[in-house]
């Protein structure tokens, strides 16, 4: 059955569909009928809209959601720098292939403490993207919420589970699932079963969409019905016909231009009693991805493994980023080199592993170390492919049908037309790792 055998049981209900106009209410009658902005919304609620696209975007690209909440998000203190002082990340660009077997992590980190791995473009001009790492051992502080004002956040857990409370409802995001939190949507992340680690692709330019299918037809790859959307979950109660939020002092932490800012407000950010629209969080189980492949000979382009894309529109077929996976699958191609052929690609490729072994006792699932490796980065037009031993084995292997299990993990790819700058922190991680590897080599 094409779903992951999760060790952590689901605890939330969801709507289904990608890009559909959805609506949900935490209690009957909270959502106005017909008029999006009534003079007096039900239960003393106030109307607020969050727009992810310009007002005059084509209908198929319009992203907006109406929220009906106990109190407006308008009332808060002045935003001030949060944590470290304002900074401009120092970075490096190289055509050399980079590989990290692991990344250093710090105990006591929560969702607000992520490390910048690589980026391109500029959030201020809404161009490009950034890739962050998270390795967290702690829940976010009580009455703290986070949002990225820079871009949509595609969350790719490598191991562990996160529980995400958002303005539109709750998501339980487990190993081998991905989630997307739209730009500006406030959320709080907790850990229901211990540490979690993974990647965040923050998209400055445009929004994630399903790839066009062309001659594939109307289904396969990631199907619309398999995306799960949260239902409204009101943080409060009904009293005397009014919706009252569980008010207390909250700290709102937001990322803008790569820097963190914070403000305080006297009410919960999760007091949304009803919502309707097209701009909302979602999650997706990667085991539901309908894999396609060659059934006689040759090797299709890896674009057939694309789950989500963010088109750039510079020219047809280009993308700010494609998110693709190489999951367990059957190979049946006769007289064909089964490994990825050596290639130089106009896209920059950052890859990592999603551990799909769901046994919590597995060494891959323990602690925060990134295993079986951290990440690799191949620059645009830099040749990459199998090492010599794997190449020889692929030349000699029998090409009879075989289930390819990837040694228990799924590879993910972030393919971008943008050259990536690698952060100082990431270069230092690699330098430390390289030194360790050299010391571990047997002396001649």
């Amino acid at each position: 059955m094409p779903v992951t055998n999760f060790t952590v049981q689901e605890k939330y209900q969801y709507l289904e569909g990608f890009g559909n106009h959805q609506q949900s209410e935490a209690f009957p009658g909270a959502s106005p009928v017909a008029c999006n902005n009534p003079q007096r919304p039900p239960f003393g609620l106030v109307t607020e809209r969050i727009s992810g696209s310009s007002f005059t975007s084509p209908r198929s690209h319009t992203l907006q959601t109406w929220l009906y909440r106990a109190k407006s998000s308008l009332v808060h203190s002045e935003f001030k720098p949060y944590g470290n002082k304002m900074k401009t990340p120092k970075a490096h660009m190289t055509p050399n292939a980079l590989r990290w077997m692991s990344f250093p992590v710090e105990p006591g980190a929560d969702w607000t403490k992520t490390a910048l791995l690589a980026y391109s473009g500029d959030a201020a001009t809404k161009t490009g993207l950034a890739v962050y790492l998270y390795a967290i051992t702690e829940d976010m502080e009580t009455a703290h919420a986070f949002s990225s004002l820079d871009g949509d956040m595609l969350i790719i857990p490598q191991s562990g589970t996160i529980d995400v409370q958002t303005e539109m409802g709750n998501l339980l995001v487990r190993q081998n699932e991905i989630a997307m939190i739209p730009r500006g949507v406030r959320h709080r992340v907790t850990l229901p079963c211990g540490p979690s680690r993974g990647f965040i692709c923050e998209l400055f330019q445009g929004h994630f969409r399903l790839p066009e299918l062309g001659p594939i037809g109307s289904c396969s790859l990631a199907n619309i019905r398999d995306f799960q959307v949260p239902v409204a979950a009101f943080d409060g109660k009904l009293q005397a016909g009014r919706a009252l939020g569980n008010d207390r002092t909250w700290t709102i932490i937001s990322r803008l231009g790569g820097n963190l800012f914070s403000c305080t407000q006297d009410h919960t950010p999760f007091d949304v009693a009803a919502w309707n629209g097209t701009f909302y969080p979602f999650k997706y189980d990667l085991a539901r991805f309908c894999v396609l492949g060659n059934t006689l000979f040759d090797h299709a382009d890896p674009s057939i493994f694309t789950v989500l894309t963010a088109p750039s529109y510079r020219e047809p077929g280009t993308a700010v980023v494609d998110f693709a996976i190489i999951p367990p699958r059957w190979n049946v191609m006769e007289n064909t080199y089964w490994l990825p052929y050596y290639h130089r690609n106009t896209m920059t490729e950052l890859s990592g592993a999603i551990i799909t072994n769901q046994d919590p006792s597995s060494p891959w699932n323990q602690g925060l170390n990134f295993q079986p490796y951290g990440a690799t980065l191949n620059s645009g037009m830099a040749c990459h492919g199998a090492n010599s031993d794997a190449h020889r084995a692929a030349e000699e292997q029998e090409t009879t049908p075989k289930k390819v299990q990837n040694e228990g993990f799924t590879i993910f790819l972030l393919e971008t037309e943008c050259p990536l700058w690698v952060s100082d922190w990431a270069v230092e991680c690699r330098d430390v790792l390289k030194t360790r590897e050299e010391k571990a080599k047997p002396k001649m």
Side-chain angles (χ1 to χ4, degrees):
M1 185 176 179
V3 291
T4 305
N5 182 24
F6 295 110
T7 57
V8 181
Q9 295 300 310
E10 183 61 77
K11 59 180 181 179
Y12 299 124
Q13 298 293 318
Y14 299 98
L15 306 170
E16 295 182 344
F18 184 94
N20 300 342
H21 189 287
Q22 303 276 16
Q23 58 183 354
S24 179
E25 52 187 16
F27 38 83
S31 183
V33 176
C35 180
N36 288 315
N37 186 28
Q39 184 177 18
R40 293 179 178 232
F43 302 107
L45 298 166
V46 296
T47 304
E48 186 174 300
R49 185 168 75 162
I50 180 168
S51 297
S53 59
S54 65
F55 298 142
T56 55
S57 292
R59 182 184 289 264
S60 60
H61 290 188
T62 297
L63 295 171
Q64 62 179 14
T65 291
W66 294 91
L67 309 175
Y68 303 95
R69 60 194 321 152
K71 292 185 179 180
S72 166
S73 301
L74 174 67
V75 181
H76 59 77
S77 69
E78 181 181 355
F79 275 99
K80 296 181 179 180
Y82 178 84
N84 294 332
K85 294 182 179 179
M86 303 284 287
K87 60 186 183 297
T88 300
K90 295 180 180 179
H92 308 262
M93 187 176 290
T94 175
N96 292 319
L98 302 178
R99 184 181 180 95
W100 298 265
M101 293 306 295
S102 63
F103 296 101
V105 296
E106 298 180 4
D110 67 14
W111 188 249
T112 64
K113 297 177 177 64
T114 55
L116 178 64
L117 179 63
Y119 73 96
S120 185
D122 183 5
T125 58
K126 292 190 176 182
T127 56
L129 71 158
V131 180
Y132 289 89
L133 296 173
Y134 71 88
I136 55 179
T137 59
E138 307 292 333
D139 295 345
M140 286 183 64
E141 291 186 45
T142 303
H144 280 58
F146 179 83
S147 69
S148 171
L149 310 184
D150 286 340
D152 294 353
M153 300 172 62
L154 178 65
I155 302 168
I156 311 165
Q158 192 202 39
S159 186
T161 297
I162 57 175
D163 193 331
V164 188
Q165 181 183 18
T166 82
E167 292 179 86
M168 287 82 163
N170 300 309
L171 295 169
L172 187 69
V173 187
R174 298 164 291 183
Q175 194 177 341
N176 211 45
E177 292 182 316
I178 58 171
M180 195 283 295
I181 309 297
R183 178 199 311 268
V185 171
R186 293 170 177 178
H187 57 281
R188 182 171 184 267
V189 175
T190 56
L191 299 170
C193 56
S196 179
R197 63 178 186 261
F199 301 78
I200 301 170
C201 178
E202 195 166 80
L203 178 64
F204 306 150
Q205 181 178 347
H207 301 278
F208 290 102
R209 305 176 61 188
L210 294 180
E212 300 296 340
L213 294 178
I216 293 174
S218 59
C219 58
S220 294
L221 306 187
N223 287 312
I224 291 174
R225 62 172 293 195
D226 292 321
F227 288 82
Q228 296 179 298
V229 178
V231 298
F234 184 69
D235 182 15
K237 60 184 178 180
L238 278 177
Q239 182 174 312
R242 291 187 64 87
L244 303 176
N246 287 327
D247 291 344
R248 58 184 299 180
T249 299
W250 277 76
T251 298
I252 309 298
I253 303 164
S254 296
R255 181 160 53 226
L256 180 65
N259 292 289
L260 297 182
F261 299 83
S262 70
C263 71
T264 58
Q265 61 183 48
D266 65 358
H267 57 281
T268 173
F270 306 118
D271 60 355
V272 177
W275 62 267
N276 77 84
T278 55
F279 194 54
Y280 44 70
F282 61 76
K283 74 168 187 170
Y284 174 73
D285 180 359
L286 295 174
R288 300 188 183 195
F289 185 79
C290 184
V291 181
L292 301 179
N294 293 57
T295 56
L296 187 59
F297 65 89
D298 220 335
H299 205 301
D301 291 331
S303 52
I304 63 169
F305 297 110
T306 301
V307 181
L308 296 169
T309 184
S312 72
Y313 304 111
R314 295 182 194 274
E315 59 180 289
T318 58
V320 181
V321 66
D322 290 329
F323 170 70
I325 58 171
I326 311 297
R329 65 207 179 278
W330 280 92
N331 273 355
V332 300
M333 306 89 75
E334 298 174 337
N335 302 316
T336 296
Y337 183 81
W338 279 6
L339 290 179
Y341 41 79
Y342 296 105
H343 58 292
R344 290 179 290 171
N345 185 0
T346 187
M347 308 282 273
T348 298
E349 178 184 286
L350 189 147
S351 67
I354 299 170
I355 310 302
T356 55
N357 184 340
Q358 297 296 310
D359 180 1
S361 66
S362 166
W364 285 351
N365 287 308
Q366 300 302 304
L368 292 176
N369 293 326
F370 282 74
Q371 297 175 358
Y373 67 88
T376 59
L377 177 63
N378 292 293
S379 174
M381 305 314 296
C383 187
H384 51 288
N387 62 35
S388 56
D389 290 341
H391 171 68
R392 284 192 293 271
E395 286 184 314
E396 298 169 0
Q397 75 177 72
E398 293 289 333
T399 57
T400 53
K402 180 182 178 181
K403 184 73 173 288
V404 181
Q405 297 287 3
N406 293 345
E407 300 182 23
F409 55 91
T410 290
I411 301 298
F412 76 85
L413 306 173
L414 293 173
E415 301 262 2
T416 172
E417 67 175 7
C418 311
L420 288 176
W421 294 90
V422 181
S423 70
D424 267 4
W425 174 84
V427 170
E428 290 169 3
C429 292
R430 181 178 177 274
D431 289 343
V432 170
L433 173 64
K434 188 175 181 180
T435 301
R436 290 176 182 167
E437 289 175 340
E438 289 174 351
K439 289 182 178 179
K441 287 180 180 179
K443 296 181 179 180
M444 301 301 291

